[in-house]
Structures are given as C-alpha cells and as structure tokens.
Amino acid sequence: MDIAGEYPTTIPTICRKTRNDHSLGIFYGKNPLDSSFTLMLFEIIFVILTTWIIRFILKPLKQPRVVSEIIGGIIVGPSILGRNKTFTDNVFPDNAQFVVKNIGVMGFMFFLFLSGVKMDMTYVRRSGRKQFYMALISVILPSITVTIVGILTRKYMDKNLAKVSSIGAVASTLAITTFPVLHPILKEMNLLSSEVGRLAMTTAIISDLMGINAIIAFEAVLQGEVHPMNGVWYLISLVVLLIFFFTVVRRAMKWIVHKTPEGKPVSQGYVVAILALVMAMGFLTDMFGMAIANGPLWLGLVIPDGPPLGATLVERTETFVAQFLMPFSFAVVGLYTDVFAMGEMGWSGMSPLLAMVVTGYVSKVIGTALPAMLYDIPFKDSLSLSLILSLRGQVELLLYIHWIDKQIVSIPGFTLMVLSTIVMTGIAAPIISYLYDPTRPYMVNKRRTIQHHPLNTELRVVICIHDQETVAGLINLLEVSYPTLNSPFRVYALHLVELVGRGMPVFIDHDGEEEQSNNTPDDNIHNALKQYQESRGEFNAHAYTAMAPPLSMYQHICELALERKATIIILPFHMEYPGNLAGTQFFRRGVHTVNLDVLAHAPCSVGILVDKGDFRNPFAGCSMRHSVHQFVVLFLGGADAREALAYADRMAANPNVAVIVIRFLSHNYIGDNDMEKKLDDGVVTWFWVKNECNDRVVYREVVVRNGAETVAAIQALNDDAYYDLWIVGRKQGINPVLLDGLADWSEDNELGVIGDYIASADFGGTSSLLVIQQQILRGRVPAPPLIPLAAASRPVFTCSC
C-alpha cells in the first residue's frame, strides 16, 4: 500500500524540549526554569508582579485597573518581551503557554460568574422609561452605524470578517455596554452611589439583556453558516440549558438560602459545590458550541444576590479571582496581541475594521449623550454618562478571544481591538473624573446649622447607624438634646451596611414597607427607634437602609441630608468602646473613611459621637429623665466652637442636664483673629444672656499661653469631677496659640486635636464626647451670623481655672 499516496505528507512536526517535573537545584548546575513546576511558579510570580508594577505606575494618571492589567499582559506577549527569543524560550515556551492560557480562561469564567452573582436583573423591571429609552438608543444607534460602515467597506475585508455574522458581532460588541466591565471601574472611581453612576449601572443592565440576546443570535447564525441544522440544534440545546438553570439550579440555590440560619454564612460545602458547578457549566456551554463563559455568567444570574449566598460566594472567592486568576487572563490577551503583525498586514487590511471601531465609539457617545440631554440631564453629566457607557474591559477582551477561535478576526484584527480598548478606556476615565464631581450637589448656598436655625421650629437630624450597639447612644443624645412640642425633632435614621454580594447600591425607605417579623439587625434598630418615638410625641423618626461600598457611603448620607433639609448629621465614631471592657477599643472597619468623607462634603453641620459606654442606655427615653447629667463645653473659638455652643444651648433647656462652658483665651489675645473674636464674643454673650437665670448653667474662662496649658486645664477639669459628655468644636477658626505644640501629638484628624485627646485612652475615664463641625460653605463667602450681638461690649464674668 502506498502510504504516501493515501495520507498527506504535510503533517506538522513539532520538536519541544523535555522538562523535568522538579529541579534538582542551582547547586547541581541545573536551571530551575528547565523544571515544568518551577517554571509555572515563576510565570505566576512574573505575571502578577508585572501587572502590579504597571498598576502602581499608572495610578497617578487616574487610569482604571483594567487598563494597567491589559498593558501588563501585553508586556509579556510578543509585542514587547515576547519578541526576545531568549525570554520566550525560557519563560513562555510553547509547551508552557497552554498552562497560562487555560488558567486565564478559567479566570474569565469565574470573573463573569461573580459578576452574574452581583447583577440584579430586577432593575430591568424597576427601571423607568428614561433608563429604558436611553439604553435602547445607545445600543441601536451604534449598531446601525457600525453595520452600515461594515457593509460599505465589506469588499476590502478578508473573507472571514466580511461574513454577515462577523459584521454583526463587531457591531453588537461596540454598541453594548456590559455590567461586569462597568461595575469594577465605577467602584474604583467611587461613582457607584452617585446619580450618574446609578443611572449608568441601570442602563448597563438593560443593555446586558440586549447583549445576551445578540450573542445568542450571533452564535445561532454562525452555527447555521456551516449547516442549517447546526443552528437548530444549538437553539434546542440552549433552551434545554436555560430551563435547567431557571428550574433545577434556581430552586437548589433557594433551598441553600432556606437551609442557612439567619445571619450566618453559607456552609463551605455548598460553596465548593457551586464553584465546581461553575466549571461544569463552562464545560457544557463549550460542548454545545456556545461561548465558554456563557454558562458561568448564567449560573451567576440565577443565584440570589446579597446575603447569605451571594455575599458568601463573593467574600470567599473574589480576592482569589481578581488578584490571582485575572492576571493570567490578561496575560492570555497579551500573548495573542502582536502590534508588529498589524504592520505586516498594512493599512489596507486594517482600515475597514478601524473604521468600524471609530464609528462605533463616536456613535456610542452621541447616542448616549443626546437622549440624556433630552431628559434634562446637564451637558457635563450627559457627556460623563456617555463616556462611562463607552468604557470597555474584560467582557470585550473575552469576546475578542472568542472571535479568534471562531476565525472572525486574525491576530492583527485582535490586536487592533485590544489597543482600541486601552485607548478608549484610558482616555475616557480621566475625562470622567474631570467632568463629573459627585459631591457638587451637596455644595448648597443656604445655611443649615444649629446656630442659624430659627427658634421654635422643627429640627431635622440625620443619624447614621452602623450596628445595633450604636443605637442606644444616639437615642440618648437625641433625648438630652431636648425635643419639645415647640421645637420637635424629625429624625432620619440611616442604617449603613457594607455592600457585599451585590453590584448595585441599595437604598431602602422602610416607611413604605410592610411589617416584618424577622429578627434582623434592621428590624431591631427600627423597633428601638419606634419604641422611643412612641414614648416621645416631640420625636418623629423615619428609617432607611443604605447598602453601599464604604468609599461611597458618604454619598447616601449627604444626599439624604440634602433632600430632607437636615440641619445636622450625627455620626458614630470609628472606635467602639464596649461598656463591659474598660479601656478596650474596637475598630469599626470602614467607618473612619465614611466619617472623613462626610465631614468634607456634608451640606449641613456634622457631629461625631464618641460613646465610651456610660452614655449608652437602651431605654434612654425613660431613665435619663430622673437624674441630672453633667455636660461640659470646651469653647476654643471659631465656627465649630460656636456651633457646639449653640447645640449645648438646646441641651441647657433640659431640666435633667447641667452645662458648664469653659472658654479658652490666649494670653494677651496673642494670635486672635479679629473677625473670629467678634463672632465668638457675640455668640458667648447671647448664650450667657439667655441662660443667666439658669442655675444649671455655669460659664468660666481660662487664659493659656500654649497647647500644653490648654491640655493641662482640660485634664485638671477631668480630674476634679466626672462629666457624662464633653462637647467640643472640631477645628475651624481655633486660635493656633491654644493648640501650639499639639499638632504632632494628635493621631486622628477626624475629631480635631482636642477631640482626639479627650477620646484617647490617656485622658482616662468613661465620659463620652461629641465633636461638632459647623457647615462649610465651599467656595462661597460665609453668611453673617443670624444670632444678634446682645451688647456692644463684653460683659464681665467670674473667671476661674
């Protein structure tokens, strides 16, 4: 038999260097990279370290993480280091690249799975006409324009790209904005809770729904191009798989949630089983000819987001996926990317695809900005929204790899698409940061302070609650603030919960909810407020819950204060002092950042309560009325001190509160600001004239030469008597002489220098502390004080140290 005549003679022959499983060591004269296992470890270290370095370099340029990781992947590929034969042969040889590529594809699978877990498809049903029409126009316009350009340039394309399915794939990819790409970038830019960020996320979810249908149609057409029955079988297998997802798998996930005790994480065994199911779904979708990541994404979509199941899955796998697997995913992209191949193809071969890409991005920006402006969104915000919806990242990169597998594009075309992703995202992100300031709405030009609040009118207060332990102290503070029928309190209680297992921030108004019997933290907090409200007719409470990342929680707080026209926001301190463990401090994760952001952007005054335990009582409305509590105000001058004194004036009207005001003055008035001094004198005069007949109010003055004497006077006051609550202004307008030498000692800018000292363990005691910051009118000339000066000259007071 003539074998040469029966079989082709062009069988490829590949010679590869055989590698040992383990290296004997460099002391045996062996190269550790000749060992397959050692080489894999080195590749892991090299890929992760490269992406970290690029991320560190590009972070000052406001580049999102995805841009740095794509560039890091390109560096290890044939465009840069891969062109060096020695590097390729030793670090990424042909017989080792399959490891990197397989781990990279697995990274994409788990990334899309976690993105699916975080997605809440009910937003499609709850979205309004604005979001729906904006999403529709922003997808249809670029799809049509790119398709037209593709048809016009079709004769210049290669045969694979010229197919109808290929042009449709390019058009739909350039038109659709995906949630898995947008969410991490907006989270990184701290825009998730902003108005434009929420609008972009909702629009992206609607766009994703269109994108899923487009991918299904594309795959069906692609299968049908080989044989019509292939497309039919593809659709049949798709329907069967979706029925399996939304019946068997969905019910199984609900059963796991039902079996998990309230407030507890899901069992580890269930987590492992679900992660194994992710790989099984990838296997099935790949077997049926679908994109391999479709199965994991759909699996994520049927898993209930948030606690307990969604939160547990995200908490236990997100770090590993993002920090370990995803660098390999970008390395895969880099290994396919070859800028020199683009040069070999030439302009004539690249121009049709480039024309489609440019048309797609331009029409996407226009197709988003125009409908946004038609809905009365300001031009800057509309442009920012259009740029946000033009961001590209992981999903598009995976689709480009899928295009190579399906022979839609070649390596030069793939490289062009990757570079366009870097350029568009790299340019858009800094422009978005420049155009859109999420704190701009909080810059009000009207005074919202206690000092300028009209007498005998309702006082609106926002209190922030991180856990059940903070509720009692906050209620006690409201009680001693003395709400009355003539000056009632309207309190907006905002329970802050870290967003885990969800992609979209959640804001819940509990006043519109039906009664629930579950013993959840939300229920316990709301019940405590309800009980106090029932005991006080002068107190009206409204309960809310905000679920958001810690970095954007302040936006919910400031937005609520702005919409409800609050006068002051009360925040708990980031350190917790358990009442049963004297001298012990617990750190509340993320609270410190929230407090600093609120202090920087609040549209009203802000108070921070440091509750050391004795101020805490779950039945404040009853117990605090039967004993006199001693409060002391440290008046060091400035706007914050004046606001603190105005707050203390409300407390002085409470028959169960005694207030001592200690005013600190510099020796010979050194360092005084004349304007601040006049304002301070006016407020102190007003306070004393109003309370001179109140035997529970005492005023004293202390003259000091430096910060050391200030601290000594405060410490002597603490040693002489016990005070339930210390009240102090944060830092605005304080004479620097009073704090001379204390700035380096202070550890925490949150409370100011004096507040930090009183809250420290060195101060001693279990007295609580309230630090007040008066509203800051950013970029505007402060309004004159509304409290009139009672007399032109200062009255004479009895002064003592």
Side-chain angles (χ1 to χ4, degrees), residues 156-157 345-352:
Y156 303 107
M157 300 177 183
M345 174 171 280
W347 171 252
S348 60
M350 301 299 301
S351 56

Side-chain angles (χ1 to χ4, degrees), residues 737-753:
V737 173
L738 304 181
L739 305 178
D740 185 33
L742 299 181
D744 295 336
W745 174 87
S746 178
E747 298 178 354
D748 196 339
N749 189 44
E750 183 180 341
L751 301 177
V753 175

